[in-house]
Amino acid sequence: MFRTGVATMEVRGKLGGQWSTMAELAMATMADSRRRMVAWRFWRWEQLVFPVVRSLLFVAFQNYSEGWVSFLKADMSYMNPSMGSGSRTARRALEFGRTYVVRPKGKHQATIIWLHGLGDNGSSSSQLLESLSTPNIKWICPTAPTRPVAMLGGFPCTAWFDAGELSDDTTDDLEGLEASVAHIANLLSTEPADVKLGIGGFSMGAATALYSATCFAQGKYGNGNPYPVNLRAVIGLSGWLPGSRNVRNKIEGSHEAVRCAASLPILLCHGKCDEVVPYRYGERAYHVLSSAGFRNLQFKAYDGLGHYTVPKEMSEVCNWLTVRLALEGLRR
C-alpha cells in the first residue's frame, strides 16, 4: 500500500513507529470498550490513510505534469453526486497512468508485470526493481487509474479496483478489477512469443495478480471473454485473493482449468506482523488456491515483517523466478 524501497522503510520506521506507540498508549489508557474502539479506529486511520496521503504527495511532486491532472479529474468526478464508487467507477472508463519499463541487462528471456499497492505508482516499483539481480527479466510497471476508494471514505488515489473493506470473499468492484486485469494482460500480449510471461505485485497489486492467475486457469474473464496470455509465473507479496469463495468451483468445473491451475507456479509471501493486510489473508489465499488445484504453489512467512518488503524477501523472489522460469545468466 505504500512504497517499498529501503529509504521508504527507514522513513516509515521513524514515523510509523511513533504513530503505533501513540495508538497503543491511547488504547491502554481508555478503560471502557467504546473508547478502545475509538482508539482502534484512530490507529487504523494512521496505518492506512496517512501512508496513502504521503504517497499521493510524492506522486504529485514527482510527476507534476501528469499526476495532478489525473488527481484533479478523479477529484472532480468524486465531487459530482451522480458518480459513486464500486462498479460504476469502471463504467467511467478511468484512464490508466504512466507505464514504466526496466529493460533487461542481458538476454531477454522473461517479462514480468509488477503491480504497485494502493496509492502508489509504477515509478516507485521500477526504482525498486532496477536494483534487483534479474538480468534476463524485463519489468513492466503500470500505474493504476486514480479513482475514489470507498475504504478511504471516497478519497481519490491510484487503485486497481475500488474496495469498501478488505475482503477475500467478495469485491465491491468486480468490474473495475477485471478492467485492470484485462489492461495488464493486454500489456503482456504484445511481448515476443519466445519470452516467458508473469505477473507480480504488492498488497492490492498482489490481489490483482492472484485474480489474474484464476482468470488464466479458467481461460477467461468473469464476463466470458477469453484470457489472452499464457502465464508462467505469479507472485503475490502481502496481498489477498479477491473472490476466493468461488475459485474452487470455477476451477473444478473444467478439466482444462484444472490442468492450467496445476501447471502455474505461484509464490506467496507475507509478513506475520502485517497490520494493513493481516497475515491470515495470505494464509487463506494459499489454502484456497491449493484446494482449487494450484499444485505448484509456495508460501513464505516472515517473522517480524509488517506491510512492506525487505531485501531478503526480494532476493528470494529473484531466486524463485530464476529457477521457475529456467533463466540463464547475464549475457552482454
Side-chain angles (χ1 to χ4, degrees):
M1 287 189 142
F2 4 92
R3 298 184 59 218
T4 57
V6 174
T8 303
M9 288 189 292
E10 292 175 352
V11 173
R12 184 183 185 278
K14 293 176 182 178
L15 298 180
Q18 180 181 356
W19 293 340
S20 297
T21 303
M22 292 170 60
E24 291 167 1
L25 178 61
M27 292 177 68
T29 56
M30 295 180 181
D32 65 292
S33 60
R34 174 177 290 182
R35 291 186 178 181
R36 284 198 300 270
M37 181 59 70
V38 171
W40 167 251
R41 288 176 178 173
F42 174 71
W43 182 80
R44 293 295 293 174
W45 179 268
E46 291 175 329
Q47 292 292 314
L48 184 60
V49 177
F50 285 10
V52 172
V53 173
R54 291 202 308 271
S55 180
L56 281 171
L57 290 175
F58 173 82
V59 172
F61 283 106
Q62 187 180 42
N63 304 296
Y64 181 84
S65 61
E66 64 178 18
W68 271 113
V69 171
S70 60
F71 181 92
L72 290 174
K73 284 182 179 178
D75 192 52
M76 290 172 66
S77 297
Y78 174 64
M79 293 302 291
N80 187 335
S82 64
M83 296 182 179
S85 58
S87 63
R88 289 186 293 275
T89 58
R91 297 192 189 104
R92 280 157 37 205
L94 295 175
E95 295 181 1
F96 288 85
R98 180 178 173 182
T99 296
Y100 298 80
V101 177
V102 179
R103 302 196 178 278
K105 299 179 178 65
K107 180 182 178 182
H108 182 195
Q109 294 181 298
T111 296
I112 309 294
I113 297 271
W114 192 264
L115 308 175
H116 61 75
L118 179 66
D120 212 334
N121 67 2
S123 175
S124 60
S125 297
S126 67
Q127 292 172 28
L128 171 66
L129 298 170
E130 280 179 337
S131 65
L132 301 183
S133 299
T134 54
N136 305 117
I137 296 178
K138 172 185 176 182
W139 298 95
I140 300 178
C141 307
T143 300
T146 298
R147 70 180 86 212
V149 178
M151 71 164 58
L152 301 180
F155 190 83
C157 66
T158 52
W160 299 109
F161 54 92
D162 188 16
E165 60 181 8
L166 184 61
S167 173
D168 51 5
D169 284 336
T170 60
T171 176
D172 295 333
D173 186 20
L174 182 61
E175 190 174 351
L177 173 59
E178 293 212 332
S180 291
V181 170
H183 175 73
I184 294 157
N186 288 338
L187 290 175
L188 286 174
S189 67
T190 62
E191 291 298 294
D194 62 339
V195 168
K196 300 165 185 176
L197 307 177
I199 304 174
F202 174 77
S203 193
M204 180 178 274
T208 307
L210 294 180
Y211 188 82
S212 297
T214 66
C215 292
F216 161 73
Q218 297 172 71
K220 60 184 180 181
Y221 301 105
N223 61 10
N225 290 336
Y227 188 80
V229 296
N230 179 26
L231 292 181
R232 299 291 297 274
V234 172
I235 301 167
L237 308 184
S238 305
W240 70 98
L241 176 60
S244 63
R245 180 178 298 176
N246 302 317
V247 170
R248 182 173 179 176
N249 290 337
K250 290 179 178 179
I251 300 298
E252 291 181 344
S254 165
H255 291 297
E256 181 62 17
V258 171
R259 185 192 68 80
C260 288
S263 67
L264 178 62
I266 299 178
L267 173 65
L268 300 177
C269 301
H270 217 111
K272 289 189 174 181
C273 295
D274 194 329
E275 298 151 342
V276 178
V277 181
Y279 177 76
R280 68 178 183 274
Y281 285 97
E283 273 193 320
R284 176 166 169 76
Y286 170 79
H287 291 305
V288 169
L289 290 170
S290 179
S291 66
F294 290 85
R295 305 302 181 196
N296 198 349
L297 183 65
Q298 187 174 359
F299 181 78
K300 287 184 172 289
Y302 294 85
D303 292 330
L305 182 64
H307 198 67
Y308 48 87
T309 66
V310 290
K312 177 184 177 181
E313 182 182 35
M314 296 309 298
S315 177
E316 291 181 343
V317 167
C318 295
N319 293 336
W320 183 86
L321 283 171
T322 300
V323 172
R324 291 294 180 269
L325 299 181
L327 303 180
E328 301 174 9
L330 179 65
R331 287 187 178 181
R332 294 291 183 182

